[in-house]
Amino acid sequence: MRMMVPTPVGELHRQSRVARKLGSPFVAAVLEAGHRQLYLAPQTAELIAGWPRDPSASALAMRFNAALHALARRGEPEALRALYRREHDDYDGAIGAALAASDGFIARWMQDTPQTNEVGRAAAIGAALMVARRRFGLPFELLELGSSCGLNLNLARYGYDLGGISAGQVDSPVQVVPLWTGPEPLPAPIEVASARGVDLNPLDPGDAETRERLLSYVWADQPGRARRLERALDLALRHPPRIDRQDAASWLVERLAEPQLAGRCRVVFHSMVLQYFTGEDRATVLNAIHGAGARATAERPLAWIGFEWTPTRSEVQLTLTCWPSGETRRLATCHAYGNWIDWLG
């Protein structure tokens, strides 16, 4: 086993506790070993130590974890591949070797924005749409901020088990079954008339490198998530999501200024995106949504669904605001990747 030298960079160690709370002891152990062995990767250590923004909001530890997972999936080095296959438990030895051999790769990987596009979050978004459907009785026109590969724009094509209530497409190859606590949701169809998203760097589900990057962000001890992601990517090849390449703030202003058909409920939704916005962009987004809400009518209602960390990052909340009333409801507390939903009803 390699000698362990403590590093002054603590973000990996802090986020290891979060990973353990989120049900991933393997990722927690990877981050802890990474914290101890980071001295072997001076480029990566310098990047983390000098990160110019909030490292938690930037998901810095998840970038680090995904870079190691990407190396393991490539089999580089062999000890890391074996660790991820659970053939041994020498975390420090395997991760230390990977850091020493692939410092430049890891540092470059971490500079790109995380791309999880977690399909599990679609269950929470879908449950919120069911609430909006019961309220307005109208099909939806979806507008998603930070669409990545656009997999959640296909949410109406997925099947769901929400506390024993079936929703969506029951015969879909993509089935999302979160652990559900709280009252059962009231049934309602998830009917999407149109779906359009935006991302600074839209990803192509048919691109091999893109698929590999997305799979690397799936935690290695959660193979069910990886299988579901692969099926969602395959479905996206048959039903390509519509994603515009633009900054989310200006895009949303333009979309909300466009005429809305009568008999459609326009929905703005986002999941784990606001943390990456600048203060100015966040203000632009919020002002655009509230401005559109002020113009909403019963024939042309607006709904806003958020799946985001609280400001203190203590929990992930699912919220729904509906106009023309402007009423906001917290519908649920959720696992960050949608593994469980504590529904408030």
PDB file of all heavy atoms in Angstrom, residues 123-146:
ATOM      1  N   ALA A 123     -38.633  11.185 -12.538  1.00  0.00           N
ATOM      2  CA  ALA A 123     -39.787  10.751 -11.744  1.00  0.00           C
ATOM      3  C   ALA A 123     -40.349  11.905 -10.931  1.00  0.00           C
ATOM      4  O   ALA A 123     -41.569  12.088 -10.847  1.00  0.00           O
ATOM      5  CB  ALA A 123     -39.385   9.594 -10.821  1.00  0.00           C
ATOM      6  N   ALA A 124     -39.472  12.694 -10.317  1.00  0.00           N
ATOM      7  CA  ALA A 124     -39.935  13.840  -9.537  1.00  0.00           C
ATOM      8  C   ALA A 124     -40.568  14.896 -10.440  1.00  0.00           C
ATOM      9  O   ALA A 124     -41.635  15.446 -10.130  1.00  0.00           O
ATOM     10  CB  ALA A 124     -38.770  14.439  -8.752  1.00  0.00           C
ATOM     11  N   ILE A 125     -39.912  15.176 -11.586  1.00  0.00           N
ATOM     12  CA  ILE A 125     -40.469  16.150 -12.528  1.00  0.00           C
ATOM     13  C   ILE A 125     -41.826  15.659 -13.029  1.00  0.00           C
ATOM     14  O   ILE A 125     -42.803  16.421 -13.119  1.00  0.00           O
ATOM     15  CB  ILE A 125     -39.518  16.378 -13.713  1.00  0.00           C
ATOM     16  CG1 ILE A 125     -38.129  16.832 -13.229  1.00  0.00           C
ATOM     17  CG2 ILE A 125     -40.114  17.382 -14.683  1.00  0.00           C
ATOM     18  CD1 ILE A 125     -38.115  18.131 -12.490  1.00  0.00           C
ATOM     19  N   GLY A 126     -41.919  14.367 -13.344  1.00  0.00           N
ATOM     20  CA  GLY A 126     -43.178  13.807 -13.817  1.00  0.00           C
ATOM     21  C   GLY A 126     -44.272  13.890 -12.769  1.00  0.00           C
ATOM     22  O   GLY A 126     -45.435  14.182 -13.092  1.00  0.00           O
ATOM     23  N   ALA A 127     -43.924  13.646 -11.514  1.00  0.00           N
ATOM     24  CA  ALA A 127     -44.920  13.743 -10.445  1.00  0.00           C
ATOM     25  C   ALA A 127     -45.431  15.170 -10.309  1.00  0.00           C
ATOM     26  O   ALA A 127     -46.624  15.405 -10.079  1.00  0.00           O
ATOM     27  CB  ALA A 127     -44.313  13.267  -9.129  1.00  0.00           C
ATOM     28  N   ALA A 128     -44.534  16.144 -10.467  1.00  0.00           N
ATOM     29  CA  ALA A 128     -44.952  17.548 -10.422  1.00  0.00           C
ATOM     30  C   ALA A 128     -45.862  17.878 -11.606  1.00  0.00           C
ATOM     31  O   ALA A 128     -46.843  18.627 -11.462  1.00  0.00           O
ATOM     32  CB  ALA A 128     -43.730  18.461 -10.419  1.00  0.00           C
ATOM     33  N   LEU A 129     -45.559  17.320 -12.770  1.00  0.00           N
ATOM     34  CA  LEU A 129     -46.425  17.539 -13.933  1.00  0.00           C
ATOM     35  C   LEU A 129     -47.819  16.952 -13.699  1.00  0.00           C
ATOM     36  O   LEU A 129     -48.824  17.526 -14.159  1.00  0.00           O
ATOM     37  CB  LEU A 129     -45.800  16.908 -15.173  1.00  0.00           C
ATOM     38  CG  LEU A 129     -44.569  17.615 -15.743  1.00  0.00           C
ATOM     39  CD1 LEU A 129     -43.952  16.794 -16.875  1.00  0.00           C
ATOM     40  CD2 LEU A 129     -44.914  19.017 -16.239  1.00  0.00           C
ATOM     41  N   MET A 130     -47.894  15.846 -12.985  1.00  0.00           N
ATOM     42  CA  MET A 130     -49.197  15.269 -12.668  1.00  0.00           C
ATOM     43  C   MET A 130     -50.024  16.222 -11.807  1.00  0.00           C
ATOM     44  O   MET A 130     -51.245  16.354 -11.987  1.00  0.00           O
ATOM     45  CB  MET A 130     -49.013  13.917 -11.976  1.00  0.00           C
ATOM     46  CG  MET A 130     -48.486  12.831 -12.906  1.00  0.00           C
ATOM     47  SD  MET A 130     -47.874  11.353 -12.047  1.00  0.00           S
ATOM     48  CE  MET A 130     -49.363  10.789 -11.230  1.00  0.00           C
ATOM     49  N   VAL A 131     -49.373  16.904 -10.876  1.00  0.00           N
ATOM     50  CA  VAL A 131     -50.072  17.891 -10.053  1.00  0.00           C
ATOM     51  C   VAL A 131     -50.580  19.032 -10.929  1.00  0.00           C
ATOM     52  O   VAL A 131     -51.726  19.473 -10.820  1.00  0.00           O
ATOM     53  CB  VAL A 131     -49.150  18.429  -8.942  1.00  0.00           C
ATOM     54  CG1 VAL A 131     -49.833  19.557  -8.169  1.00  0.00           C
ATOM     55  CG2 VAL A 131     -48.745  17.308  -7.995  1.00  0.00           C
ATOM     56  N   ALA A 132     -49.714  19.516 -11.834  1.00  0.00           N
ATOM     57  CA  ALA A 132     -50.115  20.605 -12.730  1.00  0.00           C
ATOM     58  C   ALA A 132     -51.228  20.161 -13.677  1.00  0.00           C
ATOM     59  O   ALA A 132     -52.134  20.944 -13.999  1.00  0.00           O
ATOM     60  CB  ALA A 132     -48.907  21.101 -13.520  1.00  0.00           C
ATOM     61  N   ARG A 133     -51.194  18.919 -14.118  1.00  0.00           N
ATOM     62  CA  ARG A 133     -52.241  18.416 -15.006  1.00  0.00           C
ATOM     63  C   ARG A 133     -53.587  18.398 -14.295  1.00  0.00           C
ATOM     64  O   ARG A 133     -54.622  18.782 -14.871  1.00  0.00           O
ATOM     65  CB  ARG A 133     -51.875  17.017 -15.500  1.00  0.00           C
ATOM     66  CG  ARG A 133     -52.961  16.337 -16.322  1.00  0.00           C
ATOM     67  CD  ARG A 133     -53.264  17.079 -17.608  1.00  0.00           C
ATOM     68  NE  ARG A 133     -54.366  16.466 -18.336  1.00  0.00           N
ATOM     69  CZ  ARG A 133     -54.325  16.145 -19.619  1.00  0.00           C
ATOM     70  NH1 ARG A 133     -53.233  16.394 -20.330  1.00  0.00           N
ATOM     71  NH2 ARG A 133     -55.363  15.589 -20.204  1.00  0.00           N
ATOM     72  N   ARG A 134     -53.601  17.939 -13.062  1.00  0.00           N
ATOM     73  CA  ARG A 134     -54.852  17.922 -12.314  1.00  0.00           C
ATOM     74  C   ARG A 134     -55.364  19.345 -12.077  1.00  0.00           C
ATOM     75  O   ARG A 134     -56.571  19.567 -11.988  1.00  0.00           O
ATOM     76  CB  ARG A 134     -54.663  17.191 -10.988  1.00  0.00           C
ATOM     77  CG  ARG A 134     -54.458  15.686 -11.153  1.00  0.00           C
ATOM     78  CD  ARG A 134     -54.320  15.005  -9.801  1.00  0.00           C
ATOM     79  NE  ARG A 134     -55.520  15.172  -9.009  1.00  0.00           N
ATOM     80  CZ  ARG A 134     -56.610  14.412  -9.083  1.00  0.00           C
ATOM     81  NH1 ARG A 134     -56.642  13.402  -9.945  1.00  0.00           N
ATOM     82  NH2 ARG A 134     -57.650  14.628  -8.310  1.00  0.00           N
ATOM     83  N   ARG A 135     -54.463  20.282 -11.974  1.00  0.00           N
ATOM     84  CA  ARG A 135     -54.880  21.665 -11.733  1.00  0.00           C
ATOM     85  C   ARG A 135     -55.445  22.321 -12.987  1.00  0.00           C
ATOM     86  O   ARG A 135     -56.470  22.998 -12.931  1.00  0.00           O
ATOM     87  CB  ARG A 135     -53.693  22.476 -11.221  1.00  0.00           C
ATOM     88  CG  ARG A 135     -54.027  23.947 -11.026  1.00  0.00           C
ATOM     89  CD  ARG A 135     -53.033  24.630 -10.139  1.00  0.00           C
ATOM     90  NE  ARG A 135     -53.455  25.985  -9.810  1.00  0.00           N
ATOM     91  CZ  ARG A 135     -53.059  26.656  -8.762  1.00  0.00           C
ATOM     92  NH1 ARG A 135     -52.240  26.081  -7.897  1.00  0.00           N
ATOM     93  NH2 ARG A 135     -53.464  27.875  -8.537  1.00  0.00           N
ATOM     94  N   PHE A 136     -54.770  22.120 -14.137  1.00  0.00           N
ATOM     95  CA  PHE A 136     -55.161  22.835 -15.345  1.00  0.00           C
ATOM     96  C   PHE A 136     -55.885  21.967 -16.371  1.00  0.00           C
ATOM     97  O   PHE A 136     -56.597  22.489 -17.219  1.00  0.00           O
ATOM     98  CB  PHE A 136     -53.923  23.460 -16.009  1.00  0.00           C
ATOM     99  CG  PHE A 136     -53.230  24.487 -15.162  1.00  0.00           C
ATOM    100  CD1 PHE A 136     -51.916  24.310 -14.758  1.00  0.00           C
ATOM    101  CD2 PHE A 136     -53.897  25.635 -14.752  1.00  0.00           C
ATOM    102  CE1 PHE A 136     -51.274  25.265 -13.986  1.00  0.00           C
ATOM    103  CE2 PHE A 136     -53.261  26.590 -13.976  1.00  0.00           C
ATOM    104  CZ  PHE A 136     -51.947  26.411 -13.582  1.00  0.00           C
ATOM    105  N   GLY A 137     -55.641  20.643 -16.342  1.00  0.00           N
ATOM    106  CA  GLY A 137     -56.290  19.761 -17.297  1.00  0.00           C
ATOM    107  C   GLY A 137     -55.835  19.942 -18.721  1.00  0.00           C
ATOM    108  O   GLY A 137     -56.582  19.661 -19.662  1.00  0.00           O
ATOM    109  N   LEU A 138     -54.584  20.398 -18.913  1.00  0.00           N
ATOM    110  CA  LEU A 138     -54.087  20.721 -20.245  1.00  0.00           C
ATOM    111  C   LEU A 138     -52.789  19.972 -20.547  1.00  0.00           C
ATOM    112  O   LEU A 138     -52.031  19.639 -19.634  1.00  0.00           O
ATOM    113  CB  LEU A 138     -53.819  22.232 -20.350  1.00  0.00           C
ATOM    114  CG  LEU A 138     -55.000  23.175 -20.110  1.00  0.00           C
ATOM    115  CD1 LEU A 138     -54.517  24.618 -20.116  1.00  0.00           C
ATOM    116  CD2 LEU A 138     -56.085  22.959 -21.151  1.00  0.00           C
ATOM    117  N   PRO A 139     -52.527  19.715 -21.836  1.00  0.00           N
ATOM    118  CA  PRO A 139     -51.217  19.156 -22.210  1.00  0.00           C
ATOM    119  C   PRO A 139     -50.117  20.194 -22.019  1.00  0.00           C
ATOM    120  O   PRO A 139     -50.394  21.398 -21.922  1.00  0.00           O
ATOM    121  CB  PRO A 139     -51.393  18.794 -23.691  1.00  0.00           C
ATOM    122  CG  PRO A 139     -52.481  19.701 -24.170  1.00  0.00           C
ATOM    123  CD  PRO A 139     -53.408  19.904 -23.003  1.00  0.00           C
ATOM    124  N   PHE A 140     -48.875  19.725 -22.009  1.00  0.00           N
ATOM    125  CA  PHE A 140     -47.758  20.578 -21.633  1.00  0.00           C
ATOM    126  C   PHE A 140     -46.886  20.960 -22.822  1.00  0.00           C
ATOM    127  O   PHE A 140     -46.681  20.186 -23.757  1.00  0.00           O
ATOM    128  CB  PHE A 140     -46.884  19.883 -20.594  1.00  0.00           C
ATOM    129  CG  PHE A 140     -47.612  19.514 -19.347  1.00  0.00           C
ATOM    130  CD1 PHE A 140     -47.817  18.183 -19.004  1.00  0.00           C
ATOM    131  CD2 PHE A 140     -48.114  20.495 -18.509  1.00  0.00           C
ATOM    132  CE1 PHE A 140     -48.492  17.841 -17.855  1.00  0.00           C
ATOM    133  CE2 PHE A 140     -48.793  20.167 -17.355  1.00  0.00           C
ATOM    134  CZ  PHE A 140     -48.992  18.839 -17.021  1.00  0.00           C
ATOM    135  N   GLU A 141     -46.342  22.159 -22.710  1.00  0.00           N
ATOM    136  CA  GLU A 141     -45.292  22.652 -23.586  1.00  0.00           C
ATOM    137  C   GLU A 141     -44.065  22.839 -22.698  1.00  0.00           C
ATOM    138  O   GLU A 141     -44.018  23.765 -21.898  1.00  0.00           O
ATOM    139  CB  GLU A 141     -45.736  23.978 -24.211  1.00  0.00           C
ATOM    140  CG  GLU A 141     -44.679  24.734 -24.967  1.00  0.00           C
ATOM    141  CD  GLU A 141     -45.127  26.157 -25.278  1.00  0.00           C
ATOM    142  OE1 GLU A 141     -46.204  26.311 -25.883  1.00  0.00           O
ATOM    143  OE2 GLU A 141     -44.409  27.114 -24.897  1.00  0.00           O
ATOM    144  N   LEU A 142     -43.101  21.929 -22.805  1.00  0.00           N
ATOM    145  CA  LEU A 142     -41.976  21.908 -21.879  1.00  0.00           C
ATOM    146  C   LEU A 142     -40.816  22.757 -22.374  1.00  0.00           C
ATOM    147  O   LEU A 142     -40.451  22.705 -23.552  1.00  0.00           O
ATOM    148  CB  LEU A 142     -41.475  20.475 -21.677  1.00  0.00           C
ATOM    149  CG  LEU A 142     -42.447  19.453 -21.109  1.00  0.00           C
ATOM    150  CD1 LEU A 142     -41.732  18.115 -20.918  1.00  0.00           C
ATOM    151  CD2 LEU A 142     -43.052  19.929 -19.796  1.00  0.00           C
ATOM    152  N   LEU A 143     -40.214  23.510 -21.447  1.00  0.00           N
ATOM    153  CA  LEU A 143     -39.005  24.278 -21.692  1.00  0.00           C
ATOM    154  C   LEU A 143     -38.010  23.926 -20.590  1.00  0.00           C
ATOM    155  O   LEU A 143     -38.251  24.224 -19.414  1.00  0.00           O
ATOM    156  CB  LEU A 143     -39.294  25.784 -21.671  1.00  0.00           C
ATOM    157  CG  LEU A 143     -40.287  26.313 -22.717  1.00  0.00           C
ATOM    158  CD1 LEU A 143     -40.595  27.787 -22.437  1.00  0.00           C
ATOM    159  CD2 LEU A 143     -39.746  26.140 -24.130  1.00  0.00           C
ATOM    160  N   GLU A 144     -36.903  23.278 -20.955  1.00  0.00           N
ATOM    161  CA  GLU A 144     -35.938  22.837 -19.946  1.00  0.00           C
ATOM    162  C   GLU A 144     -34.661  23.653 -20.024  1.00  0.00           C
ATOM    163  O   GLU A 144     -34.092  23.857 -21.095  1.00  0.00           O
ATOM    164  CB  GLU A 144     -35.588  21.360 -20.120  1.00  0.00           C
ATOM    165  CG  GLU A 144     -34.664  20.863 -19.009  1.00  0.00           C
ATOM    166  CD  GLU A 144     -34.137  19.457 -19.222  1.00  0.00           C
ATOM    167  OE1 GLU A 144     -34.169  18.975 -20.378  1.00  0.00           O
ATOM    168  OE2 GLU A 144     -33.677  18.846 -18.242  1.00  0.00           O
ATOM    169  N   LEU A 145     -34.172  24.070 -18.869  1.00  0.00           N
ATOM    170  CA  LEU A 145     -32.907  24.783 -18.759  1.00  0.00           C
ATOM    171  C   LEU A 145     -31.796  23.791 -18.430  1.00  0.00           C
ATOM    172  O   LEU A 145     -31.938  22.972 -17.523  1.00  0.00           O
ATOM    173  CB  LEU A 145     -32.989  25.850 -17.660  1.00  0.00           C
ATOM    174  CG  LEU A 145     -34.144  26.842 -17.755  1.00  0.00           C
ATOM    175  CD1 LEU A 145     -34.071  27.837 -16.604  1.00  0.00           C
ATOM    176  CD2 LEU A 145     -34.145  27.560 -19.082  1.00  0.00           C
ATOM    177  N   GLY A 146     -30.688  23.870 -19.139  1.00  0.00           N
ATOM    178  CA  GLY A 146     -29.566  22.970 -18.876  1.00  0.00           C
ATOM    179  C   GLY A 146     -29.871  21.540 -19.257  1.00  0.00           C
ATOM    180  O   GLY A 146     -29.765  20.627 -18.434  1.00  0.00           O
TER     181      GLY A 146
END
